[in-house]
Amino acid sequence: MIEVQISDERSFLSEKNRKLLIDLVQTTARFLQLKEGEVSLVMVDNEEIRKLNRLYRSKDQPTDVLSFPMHDGPLNGEEYVVLGDVVISVPKAREQAEAYGHSFERELGFLLVHGLLHLAGFTHDEKEEEKRMFALQEEILQAHGLTR
């Protein structure tokens, strides 16, 4: 099982949303064949994620999700994995859910899985990598019942 720490100082998430995130981490871990480990999820506003985006990516604008892995490259079957941190802008997730015409839960789940896959070493720098990552992302969301 993956231990999940959620930091939500502004109380953006309902208890139902928190449970969704925890369950979705476990679903993603099964797809990635991770048995034990830990991950930190940090819920922030647009201003906070903008600061992080500027500091770590030199992009002075809010984004939806940032991932900070605790290891280099893909996971290689380690017994216990400290994945790292996934930072999600909850207001940006709400904006995007409305813009895309699906539920907040679907968008929150999408951002979480996207961030987790980055922590596991997936990238979308090249077209083939992007196709592989997005296909797995969609498969995980479908398995968890988070459809568009």
Side-chain angles (χ1 to χ4, degrees), residues 17-148:
N17 293 148
R18 293 172 73 83
K19 180 172 179 3
L20 169 73
L21 293 177
I22 292 167
D23 291 348
L24 194 50
V25 167
Q26 304 313 322
T27 299
T28 305
R30 282 193 298 279
F31 272 84
L32 296 174
Q33 299 178 336
L34 302 175
K35 292 180 177 53
E36 291 187 70
E38 58 188 90
V39 66
S40 175
L41 310 179
V42 184
M43 304 298 121
V44 298
D45 62 18
N46 285 336
E47 183 58 26
E48 184 64 27
I49 208 161
R50 183 189 67 78
K51 290 176 188 175
L52 294 170
N53 204 21
R54 182 180 64 225
L55 180 63
Y56 293 103
R57 298 179 66 225
S58 299
K59 296 184 178 184
D60 192 10
Q61 62 192 30
T63 189
D64 49 10
V65 62
L66 293 170
S67 299
F68 298 97
M70 293 297 287
H71 54 85
D72 292 326
L75 301 176
N76 295 314
E78 294 92 345
E79 288 294 313
Y80 189 92
V81 178
V82 178
L83 289 165
D85 304 324
V86 176
V87 181
I88 297 173
S89 169
V90 178
K92 182 66 84 174
R94 288 191 192 284
E95 293 167 21
Q96 290 177 174
E98 188 173 316
Y100 299 142
H102 57 238
S103 72
F104 169 67
E105 289 75 16
R106 161 70 189 196
E107 187 65 19
L108 191 61
F110 173 89
L111 296 175
L112 173 62
V113 173
H114 189 85
L116 290 171
L117 292 180
H118 277 308
L119 293 183
F122 285 81
T123 67
H124 43 80
D125 298 335
E126 296 178 15
K127 198 66 174 162
E128 283 305 310
E129 291 174 347
E130 180 180 51
K131 283 172 59 176
R132 188 170 154 246
M133 180 179 178
F134 280 66
L136 178 57
Q137 187 172 278
E138 192 59 34
E139 189 177 351
I140 293 167
L141 291 167
Q142 293 288 329
H144 204 76
L146 291 173
T147 58
R148 290 184 182 188

Side-chain angles (χ1 to χ4, degrees), residues 7-23:
S7 174
D8 183 19
E9 293 178 8
R10 303 272 303 273
S11 300
F12 286 116
L13 301 178
S14 68
E15 206 47 49
K16 180 181 172 187
N17 293 148
R18 293 172 73 83
K19 180 172 179 3
L20 169 73
L21 293 177
I22 292 167
D23 291 348

